[in-house]
Amino acid sequence: MAEPTVTAVVIVAAGRGTRAGGAEPKQWHPLAGQSVLARSVAAFAGFPRIVVVLHSDDMARGVAEFGGRVTLVAGGATRSASVRNALESLAFSGVDRVLIHDGARPFVPAALIGRVTAALDHAPAAAPALGVTDALWTGSGGRVTGVADRAGLFRAQTPQGFHFAAILAAHRAHPGGAADDVEVARAAGLDVAIVEGEEENIKITWPGDFDRAERMLGRDMDIRTGNGFDVHAFTAGDHVTLCGVRVAHDRALLGHSDADVGMHALTDAIYGALAEGDIGRHFPPSDPQWKGAASAIFLAHAAGLARQKGYAVSNADVTLICERPKIGPHALDMARELSRIIGIGADRVSVKATTSERLGFTGREEGIAALASVTLVRP
């Protein structure tokens, strides 16, 4: 089976945003309790590596806001220099592809991100855009001086996606001063595919954009909940894997994959909230390629499917039911591992355990059961 593609995200937020007005740079302006930048970062939850480029004056604030959940890199004198700094920080990290996004676009939909990443299967670069539909004029001194042909014109958006080695080489060769990374890519001769953009993917630029953003946040939200339940019997072995953590035990759990009963329950909870069936629908046990597979593959797929449909995982709660092994000493590590795979803060994931008071199959220590609940939110 081929190695999975590793895609990193670079979010550029090193500018001062003076056109937007206000007492602080626009990326730090609050929108319904979260900064513009925090909302932009949250849109990419689930990607394995997120690099945020900040002005050197904002580093302490970045550490306080993101708490180690992203990699912070100091920006340069220009946008191009800032992006290059971020790319250089990823140069030896095993990244295959990169999405480069403006931190001032807090409403980028998951479906748009999915279109850009999918286009990279067939092109070295891809970027979202919207065709220009309004009439175009030239003007001077407050008067119309002419008209311009709008045929073939597009409004560029981000994230702009690239094969990592190609865009790193392009930035290293570029003299700087480019308007965006597509300009850098084209200067290096890269073919850039256009994918459909989204009107809601606005860029905060002017003071009035904050009011528009607040109105967008005021729309009704789509909230879904899902539940999952799973059971695995004990078999011979020396450890169990629960919520991604190896725990020493005098027996193992029996299953077609790694039998991670907690992760299976949580995966099914996400699929259930999406009305997408269960693990068996997406990873049939009859398919030999999934024998012994790490359950993180299943959970990552479910979380990715939620993002593709425009949902963010708001919180997840897993309860493990067993007499032994003791879960308490490992619960925080389990929550952290689940949060890493899903791409949300560890403070949004709970893992806890209970016994069945020696009743039933769990009480007789014949196996372990798990319950999970999840809440998905689409703004």
Side-chain angles (χ1 to χ4, degrees), residues 112 130 146 148 170 215 323 346:
L112 185 152
L130 292 169
R215 290 194 298 272
E323 300 293 330

Side-chain angles (χ1 to χ4, degrees), residues 21-356:
E24 59 185 353
K26 62 187 179 182
Q27 60 267 36
W28 299 112
H29 186 95
L31 292 176
Q34 279 188 291
S35 70
V36 170
L37 180 56
R39 292 185 178 276
S40 297
V41 171
F44 294 89
F47 283 87
R49 187 80 179 270
I50 299 176
V51 177
V52 177
V53 189
L54 297 179
H55 192 279
S56 57
D57 292 345
D58 294 340
M59 282 296 179
R61 186 167 185 174
V63 171
E65 180 136 355
F66 299 110
R69 292 184 287 117
V70 303
T71 300
L72 300 178
V73 171
T78 64
R79 185 188 185 282
S80 297
S82 293
V83 172
R84 178 170 174 176
N85 287 354
L87 295 176
E88 294 288 0
S89 76
L90 293 167
F92 301 102
S93 61
V95 169
D96 303 298
R97 299 175 181 181
V98 63
L99 304 180
I100 304 174
H101 185 63
D102 289 332
R105 291 187 185 269
F107 299 121
V108 56
L112 185 152
I113 296 170
R115 289 197 291 271
V116 174
T117 55
L120 293 177
D121 291 340
H122 310 288
L130 292 169
V132 174
T133 57
D134 297 324
L136 296 178
W137 302 333
T138 59
S140 178
R143 298 290 187 275
V144 176
T145 60
V147 296
D149 187 3
R150 65 192 175 197
L153 295 181
F154 292 85
R155 291 183 283 143
Q157 296 185 334
T158 65
Q160 297 172 356
F162 306 92
H163 290 187
F164 180 76
I167 194 61
L168 176 59
H171 267 278
R172 285 173 172 173
H174 198 272
D180 65 5
D181 300 287
V182 164
E183 183 177 342
V184 174
R186 295 193 69 252
L190 296 181
D191 181 43
V192 182
I194 298 174
V195 304
E196 183 181 359
E198 296 279 357
E199 287 289 351
E200 68 187 84
N201 186 24
I202 66 169
K203 184 177 181 181
I204 305 293
T205 305
W206 307 105
D209 292 334
F210 292 119
D211 293 334
R212 181 182 178 190
E214 293 285 358
R215 290 194 298 272
M216 292 173 66
L217 287 170
R219 298 176 305 189
D220 290 339
M221 300 179 71
D222 183 0
I223 300 175
R224 297 189 177 195
T225 59
N227 296 306
F229 177 75
D230 196 35
V231 173
H232 282 279
F234 281 127
T235 187
D238 61 3
H239 75 279
V240 293
T241 300
L242 297 171
C243 297
V245 174
R246 180 185 172 112
V247 179
H249 192 47
D250 56 9
R251 280 173 285 180
L253 288 172
L254 179 65
H256 183 69
S257 63
D258 63 3
D260 190 329
V261 62
M263 203 174 291
H264 291 178
L266 181 55
T267 302
D268 276 351
I270 297 175
Y271 285 140
L274 296 170
E276 284 283 349
D278 59 11
I279 294 174
R281 177 191 294 186
H282 301 274
F283 302 93
S286 58
D287 189 336
Q289 71 172 309
W290 306 121
K291 183 173 179 57
S295 296
I297 296 171
F298 311 149
L299 182 57
H301 178 269
L305 185 60
R307 288 194 302 273
Q308 290 173 24
K309 291 176 174 286
Y311 291 93
V313 178
S314 177
N315 71 288
D317 181 27
V318 178
T319 301
L320 299 169
I321 306 169
C322 61
E323 300 293 330
R324 292 187 307 124
K326 295 301 181 184
I327 304 302
H330 310 283
L332 290 179
D333 288 338
M334 292 176 182
R336 281 191 285 265
E337 180 63 8
L338 294 178
S339 69
R340 182 192 67 79
I341 296 167
I342 298 172
I344 60 176
D347 60 339
R348 293 179 177 270
V349 179
S350 169
V351 176
K352 57 190 186 300
T354 187
T355 71
S356 55

